[in-house]
Amino acid sequence: MADPSFDIVSKVDAQEIDNAVNQTAKEIGNRFDFRDTGASAKLSGESILLVANTDERVKAVLDVLQEKFVKRGISLKALSFDEPKQSGKEFRLSVTVQQGIADEKAKAIAKKIRADGPKGVQAQIQGDQLRVTGKKRDDLQRVIQLLKAEDFEVPLQFVNYR
């Protein structure tokens, strides 16, 4: 029989992202403080475009978006954005939703497992995820607790536990 294993992934449900953006657009359309600011939120692929007529209004739209993400159970670690940029008479902010674990983060996670994890547990990088195998299920549970206590700046999910 094969050794027990689980996968470490960083995925965000696309439907939940769509719902959060739609709720954001609806709220900024209804709120009094966003009237006549040209504020909007649009989803296109893996990025969300936030637009308003001032720098502060774009940041307020970002706050509303982040609030909707939290309510829907999506980690804010999945979002990456810079400062708003002026484009003509409006300010734009592009928010990117990160899917998968980048190579340098995957290497850091594997290094942490090797350094602080139980003996006999191995982590293999497989594309944008990691597979962790070990002789005992208890060791794998310890690895999960170890990784939950550490902050790798990406949302981690533990799936396919066998």
Side-chain angles (χ1 to χ4, degrees), residues 92-151:
R92 294 172 175 252
L93 178 62
S94 182
V95 179
T96 308
V97 180
Q98 299 171 340
Q99 298 275 19
I101 302 172
D103 283 343
E104 63 274 357
K105 301 280 185 204
K107 288 177 185 173
I109 293 169
K111 185 176 180 182
K112 178 74 174 173
I113 291 171
R114 275 195 310 276
D116 298 341
K119 291 265 188 236
V121 175
Q122 290 111 17
Q124 302 156 336
I125 299 172
Q126 299 177 335
D128 62 351
Q129 67 181 23
L130 280 91
R131 162 113 355 123
V132 179
T133 58
K135 296 280 184 209
K136 300 180 198 156
R137 288 179 182 259
D138 290 345
D139 290 345
L140 297 182
Q141 290 289 340
R142 279 200 279 295
V143 169
I144 291 173
Q145 294 308 316
L146 173 75
L147 296 178
K148 281 184 177 179
E150 195 73 23
D151 181 23

Coordinates of all heavy atoms in Angstrom, one line a residue, residues 92-151:
R92 N -7.4 54.3 -11.8 CA -7.6 52.9 -12.0 C -6.7 52.1 -11.1 O -5.6 52.5 -10.8 CB -7.3 52.5 -13.4 CG -8.2 53.1 -14.4 CD -7.8 52.9 -15.8 NE -8.7 53.4 -16.8 CZ -9.6 52.6 -17.5 NH1 -9.5 51.3 -17.4 NH2 -10.4 53.2 -18.3
L93 N -7.3 51.0 -10.6 CA -6.5 50.1 -9.8 C -6.8 48.7 -10.3 O -7.9 48.2 -10.3 CB -6.9 50.2 -8.3 CG -6.2 49.3 -7.3 CD1 -4.7 49.5 -7.3 CD2 -6.8 49.5 -5.9
S94 N -5.7 48.0 -10.7 CA -5.9 46.6 -11.1 C -5.5 45.7 -10.0 O -4.4 45.7 -9.5 CB -5.0 46.4 -12.3 OG -5.1 45.1 -12.8
V95 N -6.5 44.8 -9.6 CA -6.3 43.8 -8.6 C -6.2 42.5 -9.2 O -7.0 42.1 -10.0 CB -7.4 43.9 -7.6 CG1 -7.2 42.8 -6.5 CG2 -7.6 45.2 -7.0
T96 N -5.1 41.7 -8.9 CA -4.9 40.4 -9.5 C -5.2 39.3 -8.5 O -4.8 39.5 -7.3 CB -3.4 40.3 -10.0 OG1 -3.1 41.4 -10.8 CG2 -3.2 39.0 -10.8
V97 N -5.9 38.3 -8.9 CA -6.2 37.2 -8.0 C -5.2 36.1 -8.3 O -5.1 35.6 -9.5 CB -7.6 36.7 -8.2 CG1 -7.9 35.5 -7.3 CG2 -8.6 37.8 -8.0
Q98 N -4.3 35.7 -7.3 CA -3.3 34.7 -7.5 C -3.8 33.3 -7.4 O -4.5 33.0 -6.4 CB -2.1 35.0 -6.6 CG -1.5 36.3 -6.7 CD -0.5 36.7 -5.6 OE1 -0.6 36.1 -4.5 NE2 0.3 37.6 -5.8
Q99 N -3.5 32.5 -8.3 CA -3.9 31.1 -8.3 C -2.6 30.3 -8.3 O -1.7 30.6 -9.1 CB -4.8 30.7 -9.5 CG -6.1 31.4 -9.6 CD -7.2 30.7 -8.7 OE1 -6.9 30.0 -7.8 NE2 -8.4 31.1 -9.0
G100 N -2.6 29.2 -7.5 CA -1.4 28.4 -7.5 C -0.3 28.9 -6.6 O -0.3 30.0 -6.2
I101 N 0.7 28.1 -6.4 CA 1.8 28.4 -5.5 C 3.0 28.7 -6.4 O 3.4 27.8 -7.2 CB 2.2 27.3 -4.5 CG1 1.0 27.0 -3.6 CG2 3.4 27.7 -3.6 CD1 1.1 25.8 -2.7
A102 N 3.6 29.9 -6.3 CA 4.8 30.3 -7.1 C 6.0 29.4 -6.7 O 6.0 28.9 -5.6 CB 5.1 31.7 -7.0
D103 N 6.9 29.3 -7.6 CA 8.1 28.4 -7.4 C 8.8 28.8 -6.1 O 9.2 27.9 -5.3 CB 9.1 28.4 -8.6 CG 8.6 27.6 -9.8 OD1 7.7 26.8 -9.5 OD2 9.1 27.8 -10.9
E104 N 9.1 30.1 -5.9 CA 9.9 30.5 -4.8 C 9.2 30.2 -3.5 O 9.8 29.8 -2.5 CB 10.4 31.9 -4.8 CG 9.3 33.0 -4.8 CD 8.7 33.3 -6.2 OE1 9.2 32.7 -7.2 OE2 7.8 34.0 -6.3
K105 N 7.8 30.4 -3.5 CA 7.0 30.0 -2.3 C 7.0 28.5 -2.0 O 7.1 28.1 -0.9 CB 5.6 30.6 -2.4 CG 5.5 32.0 -2.7 CD 5.6 32.8 -1.4 CE 5.3 34.3 -1.7 NZ 5.9 35.2 -0.8
A106 N 6.9 27.8 -3.1 CA 6.9 26.3 -3.0 C 8.2 25.8 -2.4 O 8.2 24.9 -1.6 CB 6.6 25.7 -4.4
K107 N 9.3 26.4 -2.9 CA 10.6 26.0 -2.3 C 10.7 26.4 -0.9 O 11.3 25.6 -0.1 CB 11.7 26.7 -3.1 CG 11.9 26.1 -4.5 CD 12.9 26.9 -5.3 CE 13.0 26.3 -6.8 NZ 13.9 27.1 -7.6
A108 N 10.2 27.5 -0.5 CA 10.2 27.9 0.9 C 9.4 27.0 1.8 O 9.8 26.6 2.9 CB 9.7 29.3 1.1
I109 N 8.2 26.5 1.3 CA 7.4 25.6 2.0 C 8.1 24.3 2.2 O 8.1 23.7 3.2 CB 6.0 25.4 1.3 CG1 5.2 26.8 1.4 CG2 5.2 24.3 1.9 CD1 4.0 26.8 0.5
A110 N 8.7 23.8 1.1 CA 9.4 22.5 1.1 C 10.6 22.5 2.1 O 10.8 21.6 2.8 CB 9.8 22.1 -0.3
K111 N 11.3 23.7 2.1 CA 12.4 23.8 3.0 C 11.9 23.8 4.4 O 12.6 23.2 5.3 CB 13.1 25.2 2.6 CG 14.4 25.4 3.4 CD 15.1 26.7 3.0 CE 16.3 26.9 3.8 NZ 17.0 28.2 3.4
K112 N 10.8 24.5 4.7 CA 10.3 24.5 6.1 C 9.9 23.1 6.5 O 10.1 22.7 7.7 CB 9.0 25.4 6.1 CG 8.4 25.5 7.4 CD 9.2 26.3 8.4 CE 8.4 26.6 9.7 NZ 9.2 27.2 10.7
I113 N 9.3 22.3 5.6 CA 8.9 20.9 5.9 C 10.2 20.1 6.2 O 10.2 19.3 7.2 CB 8.1 20.3 4.8 CG1 6.7 21.0 4.7 CG2 7.9 18.8 5.0 CD1 5.9 20.6 3.5
R114 N 11.2 20.3 5.4 CA 12.5 19.5 5.6 C 13.1 19.9 6.9 O 13.6 19.1 7.7 CB 13.4 19.7 4.5 CG 13.3 18.8 3.3 CD 14.4 18.8 2.4 NE 14.9 20.2 2.0 CZ 14.4 20.9 1.0 NH1 13.4 20.4 0.3 NH2 14.8 22.1 0.7
A115 N 13.1 21.2 7.2 CA 13.8 21.7 8.4 C 13.1 21.4 9.7 O 13.7 20.9 10.7 CB 14.0 23.2 8.3
D116 N 11.8 21.7 9.8 CA 11.1 21.6 11.0 C 10.1 20.4 11.1 O 9.5 20.2 12.2 CB 10.3 22.9 11.3 CG 11.2 24.1 11.4 OD1 12.4 23.9 11.7 OD2 10.8 25.2 11.2
G117 N 9.8 19.8 10.0 CA 8.8 18.7 10.0 C 9.4 17.4 10.6 O 10.6 17.3 10.8
P118 N 8.5 16.4 10.8 CA 8.9 15.1 11.3 C 9.9 14.4 10.3 O 9.8 14.6 9.1 CB 7.6 14.4 11.5 CG 6.5 15.4 11.4 CD 7.1 16.5 10.6
K119 N 10.7 13.5 10.9 CA 11.5 12.7 10.0 C 10.7 11.8 9.1 O 9.6 11.3 9.5 CB 12.4 11.8 10.9 CG 13.5 12.5 11.7 CD 14.8 12.6 10.9 CE 15.9 13.1 11.8 NZ 16.5 14.3 11.2
G120 N 11.2 11.5 7.9 CA 10.5 10.6 7.0 C 9.4 11.3 6.2 O 8.7 10.6 5.5
V121 N 9.2 12.6 6.3 CA 8.2 13.3 5.5 C 8.9 14.0 4.4 O 9.9 14.8 4.6 CB 7.4 14.3 6.4 CG1 6.5 15.1 5.6 CG2 6.7 13.6 7.5
Q122 N 8.4 13.8 3.2 CA 9.0 14.5 2.0 C 8.0 15.4 1.3 O 6.8 15.0 1.3 CB 9.5 13.5 1.0 CG 10.7 12.7 1.4 CD 10.4 11.2 1.6 OE1 9.3 10.7 1.2 NE2 11.2 10.5 2.3
A123 N 8.5 16.5 0.7 CA 7.6 17.4 0.0 C 8.2 17.5 -1.4 O 9.3 17.7 -1.6 CB 7.6 18.7 0.6
Q124 N 7.3 17.2 -2.4 CA 7.7 17.3 -3.8 C 6.9 18.4 -4.5 O 5.7 18.5 -4.4 CB 7.5 16.0 -4.6 CG 8.1 14.8 -3.9 CD 7.4 13.5 -4.3 OE1 6.3 13.5 -4.5 NE2 8.2 12.4 -4.2
I125 N 7.6 19.3 -5.2 CA 6.9 20.3 -6.0 C 6.4 19.8 -7.3 O 7.2 19.2 -8.1 CB 7.9 21.5 -6.2 CG1 8.4 22.1 -4.9 CG2 7.2 22.6 -7.1 CD1 9.5 23.1 -5.0
Q126 N 5.1 19.9 -7.5 CA 4.5 19.4 -8.7 C 3.7 20.6 -9.4 O 2.5 20.8 -9.1 CB 3.5 18.2 -8.4 CG 4.2 17.1 -7.8 CD 3.2 16.0 -7.4 OE1 2.0 16.2 -7.2 NE2 3.7 14.7 -7.4
G127 N 4.4 21.3 -10.2 CA 3.8 22.4 -10.9 C 3.5 23.5 -9.9 O 4.4 24.1 -9.3
D128 N 2.2 23.9 -9.8 CA 1.8 24.9 -8.8 C 1.3 24.4 -7.5 O 0.5 25.1 -6.8 CB 0.9 25.9 -9.5 CG -0.4 25.2 -9.9 OD1 -0.5 24.0 -9.8 OD2 -1.4 25.9 -10.3
Q129 N 1.6 23.2 -7.2 CA 1.2 22.6 -5.9 C 2.3 21.7 -5.3 O 3.3 21.5 -6.0 CB -0.1 21.8 -6.1 CG 0.1 20.5 -6.9 CD -1.2 19.8 -7.0 OE1 -2.3 20.4 -6.9 NE2 -1.2 18.5 -7.3
L130 N 2.2 21.3 -4.1 CA 3.2 20.4 -3.5 C 2.5 19.1 -3.0 O 1.3 19.2 -2.6 CB 3.8 21.0 -2.2 CG 4.9 22.0 -2.4 CD1 4.3 23.4 -2.6 CD2 5.9 22.0 -1.3
R131 N 3.2 18.0 -3.1 CA 2.7 16.7 -2.6 C 3.5 16.4 -1.4 O 4.8 16.3 -1.5 CB 2.7 15.6 -3.7 CG 2.6 14.3 -3.1 CD 1.4 13.4 -3.4 NE 0.2 13.9 -4.1 CZ -0.3 13.4 -5.2 NH1 0.3 12.4 -5.8 NH2 -1.4 13.9 -5.7
V132 N 2.9 16.1 -0.3 CA 3.7 15.7 0.9 C 3.3 14.3 1.2 O 2.2 13.9 1.3 CB 3.3 16.7 2.1 CG1 4.0 16.3 3.4 CG2 3.5 18.1 1.8
T133 N 4.4 13.5 1.4 CA 4.2 12.0 1.7 C 5.0 11.7 3.0 O 6.0 12.3 3.3 CB 4.6 11.1 0.6 OG1 6.0 11.4 0.3 CG2 3.8 11.3 -0.7
G134 N 4.5 10.7 3.7 CA 5.1 10.3 4.9 C 4.7 8.9 5.3 O 3.7 8.4 4.8
K135 N 5.3 8.3 6.3 CA 5.0 6.9 6.7 C 3.7 6.9 7.6 O 3.0 5.9 7.5 CB 6.2 6.3 7.5 CG 7.4 6.1 6.6 CD 7.3 4.9 5.8 CE 8.6 4.7 5.0 NZ 8.4 4.0 3.8
K136 N 3.6 7.9 8.4 CA 2.5 7.9 9.4 C 1.6 9.1 9.1 O 2.0 10.2 8.8 CB 3.0 8.0 10.8 CG 3.9 6.9 11.2 CD 4.4 7.1 12.6 CE 5.6 6.3 12.9 NZ 6.4 6.8 14.0
R137 N 0.3 8.9 9.3 CA -0.7 10.0 9.2 C -0.5 11.0 10.2 O -0.7 12.2 10.0 CB -2.1 9.4 9.3 CG -2.5 8.6 8.1 CD -4.0 8.1 8.2 NE -4.3 7.3 7.1 CZ -5.1 7.7 6.1 NH1 -5.6 8.9 6.1 NH2 -5.4 6.9 5.1
D138 N -0.1 10.7 11.4 CA 0.2 11.6 12.5 C 1.3 12.6 12.1 O 1.2 13.8 12.4 CB 0.6 10.9 13.8 CG -0.6 10.2 14.4 OD1 -1.7 10.4 14.0 OD2 -0.3 9.3 15.3
D139 N 2.3 12.1 11.4 CA 3.3 13.0 10.9 C 2.8 14.1 9.9 O 3.1 15.2 9.9 CB 4.5 12.2 10.2 CG 5.3 11.4 11.2 OD1 5.1 11.7 12.4 OD2 6.0 10.5 10.8
L140 N 1.9 13.6 9.0 CA 1.3 14.5 8.1 C 0.4 15.6 8.8 O 0.4 16.7 8.4 CB 0.4 13.7 7.0 CG 1.2 12.7 6.1 CD1 0.3 12.1 5.2 CD2 2.3 13.4 5.4
Q141 N -0.3 15.1 9.8 CA -1.1 16.1 10.6 C -0.2 17.2 11.2 O -0.5 18.3 11.3 CB -1.9 15.4 11.7 CG -3.0 14.5 11.2 CD -4.2 15.3 10.6 OE1 -4.3 16.5 11.0 NE2 -5.0 14.7 9.8
R142 N 1.0 16.7 11.7 CA 1.9 17.7 12.3 C 2.4 18.7 11.3 O 2.6 19.9 11.6 CB 3.1 16.9 13.0 CG 2.8 16.4 14.3 CD 4.0 16.1 15.2 NE 4.7 14.9 15.0 CZ 4.2 13.6 15.2 NH1 3.1 13.4 15.6 NH2 4.9 12.6 15.0
V143 N 2.7 18.2 10.0 CA 3.1 19.1 9.0 C 2.0 20.1 8.7 O 2.3 21.3 8.5 CB 3.5 18.3 7.7 CG1 3.7 19.2 6.5 CG2 4.7 17.4 7.9
I144 N 0.8 19.7 8.6 CA -0.3 20.6 8.4 C -0.4 21.7 9.5 O -0.5 22.9 9.2 CB -1.7 19.9 8.3 CG1 -1.7 19.1 7.0 CG2 -2.9 20.9 8.3 CD1 -2.9 18.2 6.8
Q145 N -0.2 21.3 10.7 CA -0.3 22.3 11.8 C 0.9 23.2 11.7 O 0.8 24.4 12.0 CB -0.3 21.5 13.2 CG -1.5 20.7 13.4 CD -2.8 21.6 13.3 OE1 -2.8 22.7 13.7 NE2 -3.8 21.0 12.6
L146 N 2.1 22.7 11.4 CA 3.3 23.5 11.2 C 3.1 24.6 10.1 O 3.5 25.7 10.3 CB 4.5 22.6 10.8 CG 5.8 23.2 10.5 CD1 6.5 23.7 11.7 CD2 6.7 22.2 9.7
L147 N 2.5 24.2 9.0 CA 2.3 25.1 7.9 C 1.2 26.1 8.2 O 1.3 27.3 7.8 CB 2.0 24.4 6.6 CG 3.2 23.5 6.1 CD1 2.7 22.7 4.8 CD2 4.4 24.3 5.8
K148 N 0.2 25.7 9.0 CA -0.9 26.7 9.3 C -0.3 27.7 10.3 O -0.8 28.9 10.2 CB -2.0 25.9 10.0 CG -2.9 25.2 9.0 CD -4.1 24.6 9.7 CE -5.0 24.0 8.7 NZ -6.2 23.3 9.4
A149 N 0.7 27.4 11.1 CA 1.2 28.4 12.0 C 2.2 29.4 11.3 O 2.4 30.4 11.9 CB 2.0 27.6 13.1
E150 N 2.7 29.0 10.2 CA 3.6 29.9 9.4 C 2.9 30.7 8.4 O 1.8 30.3 7.9 CB 4.6 29.0 8.7 CG 5.9 29.6 8.2 CD 6.8 30.1 9.3 OE1 6.8 29.5 10.4 OE2 7.6 31.0 9.1
D151 N 3.4 31.9 8.1 CA 2.8 32.7 7.0 C 3.6 32.8 5.8 O 4.7 33.3 5.8 CB 2.6 34.2 7.6 CG 1.9 35.1 6.6 OD1 1.2 34.5 5.7 OD2 2.1 36.3 6.7

